PDB file of all heavy atoms in Angstrom:
ATOM      1  N   ALA G 329      10.615  -3.869  31.527  1.00  0.00           N
ATOM      2  CA  ALA G 329      11.123  -2.558  31.112  1.00  0.00           C
ATOM      3  C   ALA G 329      10.895  -2.272  29.650  1.00  0.00           C
ATOM      4  O   ALA G 329      10.507  -1.188  29.275  1.00  0.00           O
ATOM      5  CB  ALA G 329      12.572  -2.357  31.589  1.00  0.00           C
ATOM      6  N   SER G 330      11.211  -3.263  28.839  1.00  0.00           N
ATOM      7  CA  SER G 330      11.127  -3.073  27.438  1.00  0.00           C
ATOM      8  C   SER G 330       9.634  -2.949  27.007  1.00  0.00           C
ATOM      9  O   SER G 330       9.320  -2.445  25.975  1.00  0.00           O
ATOM     10  CB  SER G 330      11.816  -4.275  26.653  1.00  0.00           C
ATOM     11  OG  SER G 330      11.121  -5.460  26.750  1.00  0.00           O
ATOM     12  N   ALA G 331       8.754  -3.661  27.783  1.00  0.00           N
ATOM     13  CA  ALA G 331       7.376  -3.545  27.549  1.00  0.00           C
ATOM     14  C   ALA G 331       6.745  -2.101  27.568  1.00  0.00           C
ATOM     15  O   ALA G 331       5.881  -1.871  26.751  1.00  0.00           O
ATOM     16  CB  ALA G 331       6.535  -4.472  28.439  1.00  0.00           C
ATOM     17  N   GLN G 332       7.364  -1.338  28.434  1.00  0.00           N
ATOM     18  CA  GLN G 332       6.850   0.052  28.510  1.00  0.00           C
ATOM     19  C   GLN G 332       7.260   0.803  27.234  1.00  0.00           C
ATOM     20  O   GLN G 332       6.444   1.677  26.737  1.00  0.00           O
ATOM     21  CB  GLN G 332       7.393   0.671  29.858  1.00  0.00           C
ATOM     22  CG  GLN G 332       7.004  -0.061  31.115  1.00  0.00           C
ATOM     23  CD  GLN G 332       5.622  -0.643  31.127  1.00  0.00           C
ATOM     24  OE1 GLN G 332       4.695   0.020  30.862  1.00  0.00           O
ATOM     25  NE2 GLN G 332       5.583  -1.932  31.332  1.00  0.00           N
ATOM     26  N   VAL G 333       8.380   0.585  26.782  1.00  0.00           N
ATOM     27  CA  VAL G 333       8.979   1.291  25.575  1.00  0.00           C
ATOM     28  C   VAL G 333       8.110   0.708  24.419  1.00  0.00           C
ATOM     29  O   VAL G 333       7.685   1.403  23.498  1.00  0.00           O
ATOM     30  CB  VAL G 333      10.470   0.939  25.386  1.00  0.00           C
ATOM     31  CG1 VAL G 333      10.897   1.534  24.014  1.00  0.00           C
ATOM     32  CG2 VAL G 333      11.271   1.589  26.474  1.00  0.00           C
ATOM     33  N   ASN G 334       7.778  -0.627  24.461  1.00  0.00           N
ATOM     34  CA  ASN G 334       7.024  -1.255  23.392  1.00  0.00           C
ATOM     35  C   ASN G 334       5.616  -0.549  23.325  1.00  0.00           C
ATOM     36  O   ASN G 334       5.101  -0.443  22.150  1.00  0.00           O
ATOM     37  CB  ASN G 334       6.914  -2.706  23.666  1.00  0.00           C
ATOM     38  CG  ASN G 334       6.323  -3.543  22.568  1.00  0.00           C
ATOM     39  OD1 ASN G 334       5.436  -3.102  21.821  1.00  0.00           O
ATOM     40  ND2 ASN G 334       6.828  -4.640  22.325  1.00  0.00           N
ATOM     41  N   PHE G 335       4.932  -0.339  24.511  1.00  0.00           N
ATOM     42  CA  PHE G 335       3.726   0.383  24.436  1.00  0.00           C
ATOM     43  C   PHE G 335       3.782   1.647  23.659  1.00  0.00           C
ATOM     44  O   PHE G 335       2.975   2.044  22.774  1.00  0.00           O
ATOM     45  CB  PHE G 335       3.112   0.613  25.830  1.00  0.00           C
ATOM     46  CG  PHE G 335       1.759   1.357  25.793  1.00  0.00           C
ATOM     47  CD1 PHE G 335       0.725   0.793  25.458  1.00  0.00           C
ATOM     48  CD2 PHE G 335       1.746   2.775  26.230  1.00  0.00           C
ATOM     49  CE1 PHE G 335      -0.560   1.475  25.415  1.00  0.00           C
ATOM     50  CE2 PHE G 335       0.593   3.498  26.121  1.00  0.00           C
ATOM     51  CZ  PHE G 335      -0.580   2.795  25.717  1.00  0.00           C
ATOM     52  N   LEU G 336       4.765   2.517  23.961  1.00  0.00           N
ATOM     53  CA  LEU G 336       4.983   3.824  23.382  1.00  0.00           C
ATOM     54  C   LEU G 336       5.242   3.655  21.845  1.00  0.00           C
ATOM     55  O   LEU G 336       4.571   4.367  21.000  1.00  0.00           O
ATOM     56  CB  LEU G 336       6.018   4.604  23.967  1.00  0.00           C
ATOM     57  CG  LEU G 336       5.760   5.119  25.364  1.00  0.00           C
ATOM     58  CD1 LEU G 336       7.007   5.652  26.011  1.00  0.00           C
ATOM     59  CD2 LEU G 336       4.569   6.069  25.429  1.00  0.00           C
ATOM     60  N   LEU G 337       6.105   2.727  21.448  1.00  0.00           N
ATOM     61  CA  LEU G 337       6.412   2.499  20.061  1.00  0.00           C
ATOM     62  C   LEU G 337       5.221   1.922  19.323  1.00  0.00           C
ATOM     63  O   LEU G 337       4.956   2.225  18.176  1.00  0.00           O
ATOM     64  CB  LEU G 337       7.663   1.667  19.914  1.00  0.00           C
ATOM     65  CG  LEU G 337       8.947   2.308  20.371  1.00  0.00           C
ATOM     66  CD1 LEU G 337      10.098   1.299  20.245  1.00  0.00           C
ATOM     67  CD2 LEU G 337       9.199   3.531  19.548  1.00  0.00           C
ATOM     68  N   SER G 338       4.494   1.054  19.982  1.00  0.00           N
ATOM     69  CA  SER G 338       3.250   0.454  19.404  1.00  0.00           C
ATOM     70  C   SER G 338       2.186   1.527  19.059  1.00  0.00           C
ATOM     71  O   SER G 338       1.587   1.548  18.030  1.00  0.00           O
ATOM     72  CB  SER G 338       2.670  -0.672  20.248  1.00  0.00           C
ATOM     73  OG  SER G 338       3.549  -1.754  20.279  1.00  0.00           O
ATOM     74  N   THR G 339       2.088   2.488  20.056  1.00  0.00           N
ATOM     75  CA  THR G 339       1.081   3.524  19.883  1.00  0.00           C
ATOM     76  C   THR G 339       1.406   4.421  18.745  1.00  0.00           C
ATOM     77  O   THR G 339       0.556   4.779  17.947  1.00  0.00           O
ATOM     78  CB  THR G 339       0.938   4.305  21.196  1.00  0.00           C
ATOM     79  OG1 THR G 339       0.437   3.433  22.267  1.00  0.00           O
ATOM     80  CG2 THR G 339       0.015   5.424  21.085  1.00  0.00           C
ATOM     81  N   TYR G 340       2.739   4.773  18.682  1.00  0.00           N
ATOM     82  CA  TYR G 340       3.131   5.839  17.710  1.00  0.00           C
ATOM     83  C   TYR G 340       3.704   5.372  16.386  1.00  0.00           C
ATOM     84  O   TYR G 340       3.913   6.027  15.476  1.00  0.00           O
ATOM     85  CB  TYR G 340       4.184   6.816  18.356  1.00  0.00           C
ATOM     86  CG  TYR G 340       3.491   7.620  19.489  1.00  0.00           C
ATOM     87  CD1 TYR G 340       3.616   7.243  20.784  1.00  0.00           C
ATOM     88  CD2 TYR G 340       2.616   8.678  19.167  1.00  0.00           C
ATOM     89  CE1 TYR G 340       2.947   8.065  21.808  1.00  0.00           C
ATOM     90  CE2 TYR G 340       1.988   9.477  20.067  1.00  0.00           C
ATOM     91  CZ  TYR G 340       2.083   9.042  21.445  1.00  0.00           C
ATOM     92  OH  TYR G 340       1.477   9.849  22.319  1.00  0.00           O
ATOM     93  N   VAL G 341       4.097   4.005  16.379  1.00  0.00           N
ATOM     94  CA  VAL G 341       4.642   3.451  15.132  1.00  0.00           C
ATOM     95  C   VAL G 341       3.827   2.313  14.503  1.00  0.00           C
ATOM     96  O   VAL G 341       3.207   2.436  13.455  1.00  0.00           O
ATOM     97  CB  VAL G 341       6.099   2.907  15.402  1.00  0.00           C
ATOM     98  CG1 VAL G 341       6.734   2.344  14.137  1.00  0.00           C
ATOM     99  CG2 VAL G 341       6.973   4.151  15.915  1.00  0.00           C
ATOM    100  N   THR G 342       3.616   1.228  15.230  1.00  0.00           N
ATOM    101  CA  THR G 342       3.028   0.076  14.725  1.00  0.00           C
ATOM    102  C   THR G 342       1.538   0.404  14.430  1.00  0.00           C
ATOM    103  O   THR G 342       1.083   0.010  13.320  1.00  0.00           O
ATOM    104  CB  THR G 342       3.107  -1.151  15.644  1.00  0.00           C
ATOM    105  OG1 THR G 342       4.485  -1.357  15.981  1.00  0.00           O
ATOM    106  CG2 THR G 342       2.522  -2.412  14.993  1.00  0.00           C
ATOM    107  N   TRP G 343       0.783   0.795  15.417  1.00  0.00           N
ATOM    108  CA  TRP G 343      -0.755   1.129  15.219  1.00  0.00           C
ATOM    109  C   TRP G 343      -0.959   2.661  15.226  1.00  0.00           C
ATOM    110  O   TRP G 343      -2.001   3.098  15.798  1.00  0.00           O
ATOM    111  CB  TRP G 343      -1.476   0.413  16.298  1.00  0.00           C
ATOM    112  CG  TRP G 343      -1.502  -1.052  15.964  1.00  0.00           C
ATOM    113  CD1 TRP G 343      -2.463  -1.637  15.132  1.00  0.00           C
ATOM    114  CD2 TRP G 343      -0.780  -2.166  16.454  1.00  0.00           C
ATOM    115  NE1 TRP G 343      -2.236  -2.948  15.084  1.00  0.00           N
ATOM    116  CE2 TRP G 343      -1.254  -3.328  15.909  1.00  0.00           C
ATOM    117  CE3 TRP G 343       0.300  -2.233  17.292  1.00  0.00           C
ATOM    118  CZ2 TRP G 343      -0.685  -4.520  16.089  1.00  0.00           C
ATOM    119  CZ3 TRP G 343       0.814  -3.510  17.612  1.00  0.00           C
ATOM    120  CH2 TRP G 343       0.375  -4.674  17.007  1.00  0.00           C
ATOM    121  N   SER G 344      -0.093   3.412  14.650  1.00  0.00           N
ATOM    122  CA  SER G 344      -0.256   4.887  14.682  1.00  0.00           C
ATOM    123  C   SER G 344      -1.609   5.253  13.964  1.00  0.00           C
ATOM    124  O   SER G 344      -2.202   6.301  14.416  1.00  0.00           O
ATOM    125  CB  SER G 344       0.876   5.498  13.953  1.00  0.00           C
ATOM    126  OG  SER G 344       1.010   5.154  12.691  1.00  0.00           O
ATOM    127  N   ASP G 345      -2.102   4.427  13.071  1.00  0.00           N
ATOM    128  CA  ASP G 345      -3.339   4.793  12.359  1.00  0.00           C
ATOM    129  C   ASP G 345      -4.558   4.588  13.277  1.00  0.00           C
ATOM    130  O   ASP G 345      -5.653   4.844  12.895  1.00  0.00           O
ATOM    131  CB  ASP G 345      -3.464   4.054  11.138  1.00  0.00           C
ATOM    132  CG  ASP G 345      -3.466   2.551  11.243  1.00  0.00           C
ATOM    133  OD1 ASP G 345      -2.596   1.996  12.074  1.00  0.00           O
ATOM    134  OD2 ASP G 345      -4.200   1.825  10.503  1.00  0.00           O
ATOM    135  N   ARG G 346      -4.295   3.977  14.386  1.00  0.00           N
ATOM    136  CA  ARG G 346      -5.443   3.592  15.231  1.00  0.00           C
ATOM    137  C   ARG G 346      -5.374   4.385  16.594  1.00  0.00           C
ATOM    138  O   ARG G 346      -6.000   3.990  17.552  1.00  0.00           O
ATOM    139  CB  ARG G 346      -5.495   2.129  15.491  1.00  0.00           C
ATOM    140  CG  ARG G 346      -5.663   1.302  14.344  1.00  0.00           C
ATOM    141  CD  ARG G 346      -5.784  -0.205  14.723  1.00  0.00           C
ATOM    142  NE  ARG G 346      -5.884  -1.050  13.565  1.00  0.00           N
ATOM    143  CZ  ARG G 346      -5.930  -2.331  13.564  1.00  0.00           C
ATOM    144  NH1 ARG G 346      -5.809  -2.930  14.648  1.00  0.00           N
ATOM    145  NH2 ARG G 346      -5.842  -2.986  12.325  1.00  0.00           N
ATOM    146  N   ARG G 347      -4.608   5.412  16.577  1.00  0.00           N
ATOM    147  CA  ARG G 347      -4.494   6.279  17.845  1.00  0.00           C
ATOM    148  C   ARG G 347      -5.829   6.942  18.151  1.00  0.00           C
ATOM    149  O   ARG G 347      -6.576   7.366  17.243  1.00  0.00           O
ATOM    150  CB  ARG G 347      -3.374   7.282  17.660  1.00  0.00           C
ATOM    151  CG  ARG G 347      -2.015   6.764  17.820  1.00  0.00           C
ATOM    152  CD  ARG G 347      -0.927   7.657  17.986  1.00  0.00           C
ATOM    153  NE  ARG G 347      -1.220   9.009  17.933  1.00  0.00           N
ATOM    154  CZ  ARG G 347      -0.396   9.875  17.246  1.00  0.00           C
ATOM    155  NH1 ARG G 347       0.697   9.495  16.736  1.00  0.00           N
ATOM    156  NH2 ARG G 347      -0.712  11.103  17.158  1.00  0.00           N
ATOM    157  N   ARG G 348      -6.113   7.036  19.269  1.00  0.00           N
ATOM    158  CA  ARG G 348      -7.367   7.731  19.719  1.00  0.00           C
ATOM    159  C   ARG G 348      -7.107   8.913  20.599  1.00  0.00           C
ATOM    160  O   ARG G 348      -6.141   9.022  21.383  1.00  0.00           O
ATOM    161  CB  ARG G 348      -8.248   6.821  20.595  1.00  0.00           C
ATOM    162  CG  ARG G 348      -8.683   5.547  19.944  1.00  0.00           C
ATOM    163  CD  ARG G 348      -9.428   4.642  20.726  1.00  0.00           C
ATOM    164  NE  ARG G 348      -9.730   3.360  20.105  1.00  0.00           N
ATOM    165  CZ  ARG G 348     -10.061   2.332  20.693  1.00  0.00           C
ATOM    166  NH1 ARG G 348     -10.338   2.285  21.993  1.00  0.00           N
ATOM    167  NH2 ARG G 348     -10.256   1.146  20.032  1.00  0.00           N
ATOM    168  N   PRO G 349      -7.923   9.977  20.450  1.00  0.00           N
ATOM    169  CA  PRO G 349      -7.718  11.149  21.299  1.00  0.00           C
ATOM    170  C   PRO G 349      -8.080  10.873  22.703  1.00  0.00           C
ATOM    171  O   PRO G 349      -8.761   9.871  23.036  1.00  0.00           O
ATOM    172  CB  PRO G 349      -8.667  12.132  20.720  1.00  0.00           C
ATOM    173  CG  PRO G 349      -9.746  11.312  20.085  1.00  0.00           C
ATOM    174  CD  PRO G 349      -9.032  10.055  19.554  1.00  0.00           C
TER     175      PRO G 349
END
Side-chain angles (χ1 to χ4, degrees):
S330 72
Q332 305 319 303
V333 175
N334 194 320
F335 176 75
L336 291 172
L337 293 175
S338 292
T339 298
Y340 292 102
V341 177
T342 307
W343 281 279
S344 61
D345 60 319
R346 297 183 187 177
R347 285 192 357 221
R348 296 179 187 167

